[in-house]
Amino acid sequence: MPWLDPRRWKLWSLPPVVLTYVVTIAVLAALVTLATARLTPVEVRHWVWFAALTAAALIHLEAARGIERIREISSEGVPHAQMQSVWQFAGVLVLPMPLVVLMVVTIYLHAWLRVYKRRAVLYRKLFSAATVVLGCAAAQWVLHMFSASTPSELDGPRGLIALVIAGFLYWFVNYALVVGAIIMTNPANPLKTALGHASDVLIVTASVGLGSGIAIIATARPWLSPILLLTVLALHMGLLLPQFRVAARTDSKTGLVDATFWHDVAEREIARARRLVSTVGVLILDLDHFKQINDTYGHLAGDRVLRAVADTLKHAVRSYDLVGRFGGEEFAVLLPGVGSGEVRATAERIRFDIARLEVEVVDRLGETRVITGLTGSVGAAVFPDTALELSPLLLAADEALYQAKNNGRDRVATAAAR
């Protein structure tokens, strides 16, 4: 596993100024953690609150994995607002700083393992966690300045002012540090892009408000806390699911993403791979003799075959690979972070799985039939070996597909390197 070997970390490929910045933020977060370790004694009740808040955060992450994965792809190169701030800000109000740090690290580690499937660059997630730790420390410092050690002490106008300032610093420290990293990493991008979407501020504001309510309920009426978990999940789905549905436009016959969205994601993945000196594989698959299925069994049977092939493709690749339908009987697969050998192995696995399919359909006469003997031809190409941009990469994969068809179908052809 490359991420276990420090010598192979992508961190060292950063420009010196960016590397210095990232390491400095991480060191500052570590120093703040050490400096605050003895300021507040950790009591049994703190461990109970820590366990409850962390468990709620992980349940929240699991329930919203699909949405967060698409949002993370879509927000490449801009600050990414996470609703995990609900639990993190609640932790700021009820936990001593060392337990806040432990909770933040646990949340980000779980997200890296489960949401992003270790595909996201580890140092980026650690950097994000460090910025959140510093934001939490700034928020707690404000609360201590107002002599508010528990949420119950945040009462009256003074308490409201303390909470507003703490919430602002929690957001602003994290936001400013992340924007700084984005600007240094992508100096050619417009400043407006680095600043992100104004609507994300609303997400963080809502999260801080909910976190405050959760902290008060957790300390005053702990048995009512599960209701707030359901509330957060419902708001998350209600706020982001429509956004997810619009972005992840699907093909009605197969349930796969359509060509437009596939192209958008592929462009972002190639841009990411270019920055990180990584690779992206592309497969284009075409079902052989599909017209004969429509002519023999009818178009409804053909649609059933397309759906079965789509399901097969999704199960043959990793959870974070992207499968789309390009139209007719043609499909495309996006494989981030793989080389030519892995791309070909994936294509062969797909071809083998399609050949094993047995699809039960109803023909044009209303009789049940089982279609077997399906085959597919696959063209493969890899960024940057084959091409440096998406369009020529797709053209190369498409040319390889026609080569596979011309050589007898039911086979894989790989585009030549530049």
Side-chain angles (χ1 to χ4, degrees):
M1 296 181 183
W3 56 276
L4 289 177
D5 185 355
R7 295 171 300 179
R8 300 176 65 184
W9 288 351
K10 294 184 182 294
L11 173 68
W12 312 123
S13 65
L14 292 174
V17 64
V18 181
L19 176 61
T20 302
Y21 181 76
V22 170
V23 171
T24 299
I25 298 304
V27 170
L28 282 176
L31 291 175
V32 166
T33 303
L34 292 174
T36 57
R38 295 185 179 180
L39 292 180
T40 307
V42 179
E43 302 173 7
V44 174
R45 62 192 175 104
H46 293 143
W47 283 108
V48 173
W49 291 338
F50 165 80
L53 291 173
T54 304
L58 300 188
I59 292 170
H60 181 185
L61 267 175
E62 285 294 311
R65 270 196 304 162
I67 295 175
E68 285 304 306
R69 172 65 190 137
I70 293 295
R71 288 188 70 236
E72 193 266 345
I73 291 174
S74 301
S75 64
E76 174 65 21
V78 299
H80 177 49
Q82 296 189 16
M83 284 198 70
Q84 296 305 308
S85 293
V86 170
W87 314 106
Q88 289 162 177
F89 192 71
V92 168
L93 297 177
V94 302
L95 298 177
M97 193 61 199
L99 290 188
V100 173
V101 174
L102 182 58
M103 183 175 69
V104 170
V105 172
T106 301
I107 289 172
Y108 272 84
L109 181 61
H110 180 86
W112 184 67
L113 291 170
R114 292 285 297 163
V115 178
Y116 311 120
K117 299 290 186 179
R118 292 184 293 189
R119 175 187 161 277
V121 182
L122 180 58
Y123 80 78
R124 286 189 176 187
K125 296 306 169 189
L126 292 176
F127 172 78
S128 296
T131 64
V132 172
V133 166
L134 292 176
C136 291
Q140 278 207 345
W141 174 77
V142 169
L143 295 174
H144 286 303
M145 290 290 291
F146 279 80
S147 302
S149 58
T150 63
S152 60
E153 297 175 8
L154 294 169
D155 197 13
R158 180 183 172 85
L160 177 60
I161 292 171
L163 197 58
V164 169
I165 296 175
F168 172 78
L169 285 180
Y170 167 81
W171 163 77
F172 183 75
V173 170
N174 169 246
Y175 174 77
L177 293 175
V178 170
V179 168
I182 292 173
I183 291 173
M184 284 191 288
T185 305
N186 308 287
N189 282 1
L191 178 61
K192 184 178 178 180
T193 301
L195 294 177
H197 308 292
S199 60
D200 284 349
V201 178
L202 185 61
I203 292 175
V204 177
T205 302
S207 300
V208 167
L210 279 170
S212 302
I214 287 172
I216 293 170
I217 293 295
T219 53
R221 296 289 186 274
W223 289 107
L224 299 180
S225 299
I227 295 176
L228 288 179
L229 172 59
L230 296 176
T231 303
V232 172
L233 287 174
L235 287 174
H236 194 160
M237 299 301 179
L239 180 65
L240 301 177
L241 194 53
Q243 180 181 345
F244 171 77
R245 284 172 175 164
V246 170
R249 291 160 295 199
T250 56
D251 169 65
S252 59
K253 289 185 179 179
T254 62
L256 301 176
V257 300
D258 66 12
T260 302
F261 182 67
W262 192 95
H263 273 86
D264 290 345
V265 175
E267 290 279 14
R268 285 192 286 269
E269 288 291 356
I270 287 177
R272 182 203 298 258
R274 187 178 291 113
R275 286 196 300 274
L276 300 178
V277 194
S278 186
T279 57
V280 179
V282 168
L283 302 177
I284 297 182
L285 177 141
D286 190 83
L287 288 179
D288 299 325
H289 307 296
F290 181 71
K291 185 176 183 298
Q292 293 180 8
I293 295 174
N294 282 334
D295 292 344
T296 304
Y297 302 100
H299 287 279
L300 291 179
D303 291 348
R304 179 69 188 89
V305 169
L306 289 176
R307 185 62 187 241
V309 170
D311 291 342
T312 298
L313 289 173
K314 287 189 290 186
H315 285 96
V317 298
R318 303 165 299 184
S319 62
Y320 51 84
D321 295 329
L322 189 67
V323 184
R325 184 184 177 208
F326 268 26
E329 61 272 24
E330 193 169 82
F331 301 86
V333 184
L334 186 68
L335 304 164
V338 300
S340 55
E342 294 169 285
V343 166
R344 187 172 186 92
T346 301
E348 291 288 0
R349 182 169 63 250
I350 288 172
R351 189 182 64 84
F352 178 74
D353 288 348
I354 289 174
R356 296 171 57 197
L357 274 176
E358 296 181 357
V359 186
E360 187 176 285
V361 302
V362 177
D363 67 13
R364 61 177 74 253
L365 299 177
E367 297 182 4
T368 300
R369 301 291 188 90
V370 176
I371 297 177
T372 59
L374 294 169
T375 62
S377 301
V378 189
V382 179
F383 166 89
D385 299 347
T386 307
L388 298 177
E389 302 292 340
L390 178 60
S391 292
L393 188 68
L394 288 173
L395 287 173
D398 196 52
E399 185 62 32
L401 168 63
Y402 278 99
Q403 179 186 342
K405 283 187 169 294
N406 292 335
N407 289 338
R409 294 184 169 85
D410 190 22
R411 63 193 63 219
V412 175
T414 305
R418 292 180 289 123

